[in-house]
């Protein structure tokens, strides 16, 4: 180095003691500054630097030990000095490996963190904790809180807008339906999502009671489809499970309640009338129980009968009624002919 | 007479004309042969149960029809027919019924209409499963009903037309299952408010009585639906009821449900005049002929 060769001992002096150098004396040169070897020591302990390693701070040089003691940050977690990369966070210093999420213990140094009630949390845990407090779900995809209704898909909950309809591609909302595209398979990996419109068009029947799709046995009645267990008597709410049902004004009833409510009990046997019903005189009869109330002779649709206190009387019996009674009956009929004798 | 003949160890001597005997007996023999549980013995000129030998041992009988005969007495032994469900004694000359009938375990329908009953036996209301009781055209009134008559909770139809009731006992309200109540052509002066407790009633016949007002409680009942019948003509109704009746039964029901009527009714009850006269002439009733 030409500068060095031109240097003369006259204009050289020690950076520490400001004294000159004696010819042939050893000189320490560090970054262009010169020292007597006895002057090139730690500013704190005045001892040479072990292995020549020193740390410089505000113009002074320190041995490793004293530099740490005086200036190096202490890790908040392990209490050791932090050498190299220091994470300054939460009003403290940390080794990158010591600054971790207080929930999941994941490293936060590169992922970033959120201060949550005095604790450092990763984004995921923060969202979960926040949602837990609010009673909300966390999207399995973006880990954000789901403010509106979540969409359930293959067993997890999501923001509906992360998905599009398998059929028409429209962005989904929470009305979307998950369809088990391979019926019979218990695993849900095959499930796919459809918007409500496309779902309805796919011909998957919707239960008239619960409004959910029917993926197993379908009952079709009253112009609607039903889950087997949801097709029930409108009165007792027991499922028909294949038993006969009776319809009235758009509702289905079991045999017992249909007849209890709509009065098709036989006047003679007081049992539900199975088969054809004979209706007359504000009453109903099993076809084989329709008989004259006075002699018990069976009657049919063609038999002429008389009405007596809304009981059927065959002609033979009516003829046997005493004259005075028939006279009274006639008088009542004449005065009030709106109804009576058939 | 027949039993005496047997007791004397002689050949049985029939005291009944052979022609008559064979008619009823033939039906019984046939029924026994084919195990028919329903016996049709209507209009067979039967005067006594002795004309039907062995009948009381046919315990598989479920229906016995003896209408239009001349039977005067029913033997207590009829209750042996423990499987009997329907007993029809319409149009006979019966003046008294044995109390044993009310013990028949399966009797559901009993028709004793058009007979000469002046009284029902004490304890008659004990029927365990009776559903239809027809006492039409007899000589019954509230004065000769047994004390437990209205204990027949299984009753769904009670026919009392052409009898002599002036008052219907308030215990009628206990017949919770009653769907049909017929009181046509009695001498009823008023109806008890308890009639409003018969919530299943869908047939009420009170025409041809001496009624002037209806208890407002009757408005609790559903007597105007298309499944109900309410007959109330031929009574000396107070003017407002009579006027409503001119336009229709539903108007009567609407009216008796009103506050106005409640006032009219209360005033009528507190200023009770003498009951209207008996209009029905019963002298020609065959139930009166002795």
């Amino acid at each position: 180095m030409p500068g060095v060769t031109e240097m003369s001992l006259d204009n050289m002096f020690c950076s520490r003691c400001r004294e000159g150098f004696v010819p042939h004396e050893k000189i320490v040169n560090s970054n262009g500054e010169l020292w007597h070897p006895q002057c090139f020591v730690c500013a704190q302990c005045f001892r040479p630097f072990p292995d020549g390693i020193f740390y410089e701070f505000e113009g002074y040089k320190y041995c490793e030990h004293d530099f740490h003691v005086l200036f190096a940050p202490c890790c908040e977690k392990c209490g050791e000095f932090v050498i190299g990369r220091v994470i300054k966070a939460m009003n403290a210093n940390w080794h990158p490996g010591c600054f971790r999420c207080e929930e999941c213990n994941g490293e936060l140094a590169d992922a970033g963190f959120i201060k949550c009630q005095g604790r450092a949390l990763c984004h995921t845990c923060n969202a979960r904790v926040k949602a837990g407090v609010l009673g909300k779900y966390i999207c399995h995809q973006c880990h954000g809180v789901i403010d509106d209704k979540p969409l359930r898909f293959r067993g997890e909950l999501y923001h509906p807008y992360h998905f599009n309809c398998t059929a028409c591609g429209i962005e989904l909302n929470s009305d979307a339906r998950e369809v088990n595209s391979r019926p019979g398979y218990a695993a849900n990996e095959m499930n796919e999502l459809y918007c409500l419109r496309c779902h309805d068009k796919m011909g998957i029947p919707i239960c008239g009671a619960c409004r959910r799709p029917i993926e197993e046995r379908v009952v079709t009645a009253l112009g609607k489809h039903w889950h087997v267990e949801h097709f029930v008597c409108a009165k007792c709410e027991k499922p028909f499970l294949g038993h006969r049902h009776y319809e009235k004004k758009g509702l289905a009833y079991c045999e017992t309640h249909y007849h209890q409510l709509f009065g098709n009990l036989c006047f003679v046997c007081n049992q539900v009338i199975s088969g054809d019903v004979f209706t007359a005189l504000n009453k109903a009869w099993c076809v084989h129980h329709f008989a004259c109330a006075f002699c018990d002779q069976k009657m049919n649709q063609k038999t002429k009968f008389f009405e007596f206190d809304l009981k059927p009387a065959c002609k033979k019996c009516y003829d046997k009624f005493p004259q005075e009674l028939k006279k009274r009956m006639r008088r009542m009929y004449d005065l009030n002919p709106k109804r009576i004798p058939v | 007479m027949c039993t005496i003949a047997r007791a004397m160890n002689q050949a049985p001597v029939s005291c009944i004309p052979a022609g008559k005997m064979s008619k009823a007996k033939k039906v019984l023999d046939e029924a026994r042969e084919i195990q028919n549980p329903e016996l049709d013995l209507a209009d067979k000129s039967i005067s006594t149960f002795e004309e039907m030998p062995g009948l009381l041992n046919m315990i598989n009988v479920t229906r016995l029809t003896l209408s239009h005969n001349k039977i005067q007495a029913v033997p207590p032994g009829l209750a042996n027919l423990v499987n009997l469900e329907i007993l029809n004694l319409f149009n006979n000359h019966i003046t008294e019924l044995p109390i044993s009938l009310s013990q028949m375990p399966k009797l559901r329908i009993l028709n004793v209409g058009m007979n000469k009953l002046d009284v029902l036996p004490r304890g008659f209301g004990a029927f365990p499963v009776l559903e239809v009781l027809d006492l039409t055209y007899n000589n019954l009134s509230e004065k000769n009903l047994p004390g437990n008559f209205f204990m027949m909770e299984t009753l769904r139809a009670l026919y009392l037309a052409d009898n002599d009731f002036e008052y219907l006992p308030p215990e009628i309200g206990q017949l919770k299952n009653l769907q049909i109540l017929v009181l046509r052509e009695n001498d009823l002066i008023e109806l008890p408010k308890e009639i409003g407790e018969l919530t299943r009633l869908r047939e009420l016949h009170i025409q041809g009585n001496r009624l002037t007002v209806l208890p407002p409680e009757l408005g609790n009942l559903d007597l105007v639906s298309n499944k109900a019948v309410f007959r109330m003509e031929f009574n000396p109704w107070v003017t407002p009821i009579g006027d409503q009746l001119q336009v229709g039964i539903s108007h009567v029901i609407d009216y008796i449900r009103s506050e106005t009527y409640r006032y009219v009714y209360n005033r009528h009850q507190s200023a009770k005049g003498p009951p209207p006269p008996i209009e029905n002439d019963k002298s020609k009733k065959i139930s009166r002929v002795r």
Side-chain angles (χ1 to χ4, degrees):
Chain A
M1 197 173 359
V4 172
T5 49
E6 281 169 30
M7 275 189 222
S8 71
L9 286 174
D10 297 338
N11 52 12
M12 294 195 297
F13 47 90
C14 172
S15 293
R16 183 166 173 258
C17 66
R18 300 287 159 191
E19 294 292 325
F21 297 95
V22 181
H24 309 295
E25 190 180 11
K26 259 185 158 177
I27 298 170
V28 179
N29 183 341
S30 169
N31 287 339
E33 290 180 311
L34 306 173
W35 283 272
H36 297 112
Q38 68 274 16
C39 285
F40 190 61
V41 292
C42 169
Q44 180 71 11
C45 64
F46 305 116
R47 284 185 290 194
F49 302 112
D51 302 326
I53 295 166
F54 63 88
Y55 292 74
E56 200 169 314
F57 190 70
E58 293 176 337
Y60 294 98
K61 290 181 171 59
Y62 301 88
C63 67
E64 182 172 354
H65 178 258
D66 286 328
F67 177 76
H68 286 169
V69 170
L70 291 170
F71 308 109
C74 260
C75 175
E76 183 77 5
K77 181 158 184 223
C78 63
E80 299 292 325
F81 300 119
V82 184
I83 312 298
R85 195 171 165 206
V86 182
I87 306 297
K88 286 187 171 287
M90 308 291 287
N91 292 325
N93 300 301
W94 313 79
H95 290 108
C98 286
F99 187 51
R100 286 169 183 271
C101 171
E102 290 182 45
E103 280 282 317
C104 68
N105 207 34
E107 277 193 37
L108 296 172
D110 296 310
F113 75 100
I114 291 166
K115 194 173 163 184
C116 174
Q117 294 171 319
R119 302 192 304 160
L121 299 179
C122 68
H123 289 282
T124 312
C125 291
N126 176 63
R128 199 183 61 241
V129 168
K130 207 167 113 192
V133 169
L134 297 170
K136 286 183 177 157
Y137 296 106
I138 296 302
C139 174
H140 193 66
Q141 176 146 327
C142 70
H143 307 296
V145 178
I146 306 172
D147 283 320
D148 297 321
K149 282 167 100 180
L151 177 64
R152 189 176 283 278
F153 178 49
R154 296 184 184 172
E156 302 288 352
L157 295 166
Y158 297 90
H159 287 114
Y161 54 71
H162 294 306
F163 298 92
N164 294 81
C165 171
T166 308
C168 70
I170 194 174
E171 185 182 293
L172 295 179
N173 58 30
S174 58
D175 286 338
R177 295 293 152 89
E178 184 177 14
V179 173
N180 183 350
S181 47
R182 291 179 65 186
Y185 280 71
N188 61 11
E189 294 103 59
M190 295 296 175
N191 292 4
E192 286 181 327
L193 291 167
Y194 293 86
C195 69
L196 197 57
R197 246 175 88 87
C198 290
H199 182 265
D200 289 351
K201 277 193 284 193
M202 286 165 71
I204 293 176
I206 303 294
C207 174
C210 70
R211 315 301 310 165
R212 305 298 302 178
I214 306 166
E215 290 175 6
E216 287 162 33
R217 280 182 58 201
V218 181
V219 179
T220 306
L222 304 167
K224 289 177 188 162
H225 301 291
W226 312 84
H227 283 113
V228 175
E229 65 276 19
H230 288 164
F231 185 51
V232 300
C233 168
K235 174 79 178 164
C236 65
E237 301 190 335
K238 284 189 186 133
F240 297 114
L241 303 175
H243 292 291
R244 191 171 170 181
H245 72 275
Y246 295 78
E247 300 183 8
K248 181 94 174 181
K249 290 184 179 164
L251 296 173
Y253 297 88
C254 66
E255 190 165 275
T256 309
H257 288 113
Y258 177 79
H259 291 289
Q260 205 178 78
L261 291 165
F262 305 109
N264 275 335
L265 292 176
C266 170
F267 180 68
V268 170
C269 65
N270 204 30
Q271 301 295 308
V272 170
I273 301 170
S274 51
D276 290 339
V277 180
F278 207 108
T279 325
L281 310 177
N282 199 42
K283 296 174 183 65
W285 284 268
C286 306
V287 167
H288 60 283
H289 280 147
F290 185 61
C292 170
F294 304 95
C295 68
D296 296 325
Q297 279 303 302
K298 301 276 178 284
M299 302 201 288
N300 60 42
Q301 286 95 322
K302 287 174 187 160
T303 318
K304 292 242 169 32
F305 61 89
F306 292 80
E307 182 256 32
F308 182 61
D309 291 337
L310 286 181
K311 288 173 286 182
C314 71
K315 183 159 190 313
K316 255 170 120 180
C317 285
Y318 180 79
D319 288 344
K320 286 189 165 58
F321 283 5
Q323 278 305 322
E324 70 86 23
L325 175 61
K326 284 193 275 197
K327 218 162 128 188
R328 279 189 283 137
M329 285 170 75
R330 265 197 300 274
R331 201 193 80 207
M332 280 201 166
Y333 177 70
D334 290 344
L335 287 169
N336 197 13
K338 275 174 256 172
R339 38 160 197 84
I340 3 188
V342 184
Chain B
M1 285 160 73
C2 305
T3 45
I4 293 167
R6 282 196 204 100
M8 290 167 74
N9 206 16
Q10 293 173 1
V13 177
S14 175
C15 49
I16 299 145
K20 270 192 195 172
M21 171 85 172
S22 59
K23 246 178 160 183
K25 202 167 175 294
K26 207 174 138 195
V27 174
L28 293 182
D29 288 344
E30 271 176 22
R32 269 189 286 257
E33 202 164 300
I34 60 165
Q35 293 283 302
N36 183 3
E38 306 204 339
L39 297 182
D40 282 302
L41 290 160
D43 199 17
K44 297 274 186 282
S45 308
I46 301 165
S47 312
T48 85
F49 272 70
E50 285 163 19
E51 293 165 45
M52 299 172 283
L55 168 66
L56 305 186
N57 295 323
M58 295 169 70
I59 57 161
N60 62 335
V61 170
T62 58
R63 175 168 67 80
L64 176 58
T65 303
L66 287 163
S67 354
H68 308 302
N69 284 295
K70 298 189 174 68
I71 298 167
Q72 293 183 354
V74 177
L78 187 58
N80 282 353
L81 304 179
V82 287
N83 289 302
L84 202 62
E85 295 182 34
I86 300 176
L87 176 57
N88 197 336
L89 293 163
F90 182 78
N91 192 19
N92 277 279
H93 300 165
I94 301 166
T95 50
E96 250 183 288
L97 289 172
I99 179 59
S100 61
L101 287 193
S102 65
Q103 305 302 319
M104 296 179 76
K106 293 186 182 171
L107 193 64
R108 297 188 300 107
I109 300 179
L110 175 59
N111 191 342
V112 228
M114 207 166 282
N115 276 285
K116 301 183 178 190
L117 294 171
D118 297 319
V119 68
L120 293 175
R122 214 183 140 97
F124 186 73
F127 290 97
V129 295
L130 196 64
E131 296 173 16
V132 179
L133 177 56
D134 197 330
L135 294 166
T136 308
Y137 208 105
N138 280 286
N139 307 315
L140 297 168
S141 81
E142 67 278 6
K143 297 185 190 78
N144 43 38
L145 288 185
N148 68 347
F149 187 80
F150 294 101
M151 308 282 257
M152 295 185 277
E153 275 189 28
T154 52
L155 219 53
R156 54 186 166 89
L158 178 58
Y159 293 93
L160 293 170
D162 292 316
N163 277 288
D164 304 325
F165 285 86
E166 291 198 325
Y167 293 93
L168 184 64
E171 290 79 20
I172 187 77
Q174 296 169 16
L175 299 179
K176 296 288 179 222
N177 286 305
L178 209 60
Q179 297 167 28
I180 298 171
L181 178 58
V182 183
L183 295 160
R184 174 186 52 79
E185 292 183 286
N186 277 266
D187 301 318
L188 288 171
I189 294 163
E190 61 178 43
L191 290 176
K193 67 175 193 303
E194 285 77 7
I195 205 162
E197 294 166 16
L198 303 176
T199 48
R200 302 185 69 177
L201 205 65
R202 56 178 172 80
E203 229 184 81
L204 179 60
H205 307 231
I206 51 169
Q207 70 274 45
N209 281 284
R210 299 150 73 195
L211 298 167
T212 49
V213 290
L214 289 166
E217 288 78 4
L218 197 69
N220 299 341
L221 304 182
D222 176 24
L223 290 171
V224 286
S225 80
N226 59 352
K227 282 189 288 172
V229 173
F230 181 28
R231 293 182 174 173
M232 57 176 288
E233 304 81 9
F234 313 112
N235 279 288
W237 298 116
V238 293
T239 318
I241 292 183
D243 289 350
Q244 297 296 330
L245 184 54
Q246 290 290 315
V247 269
I249 291 286
S250 62
H251 293 262
V252 177
I253 297 291
D254 283 345
Y255 175 62
I256 66 165
R257 284 172 179 165
S258 70
E259 273 306 306
T260 322
Y261 178 66
R262 203 167 278 274
Y263 174 74
V264 169
Y265 177 80
N266 289 336
R267 210 181 46 176
H268 184 273
Q269 290 301 88
S270 55
K272 223 180 222 171
I278 297 177
E279 298 268 330
N280 298 334
D281 175 17
K282 299 183 178 178
S283 60
K284 295 203 176 83
K285 272 179 77 178
I286 60 164
S287 61
R288 300 284 170 104
V289 179
R290 291 292 142 182

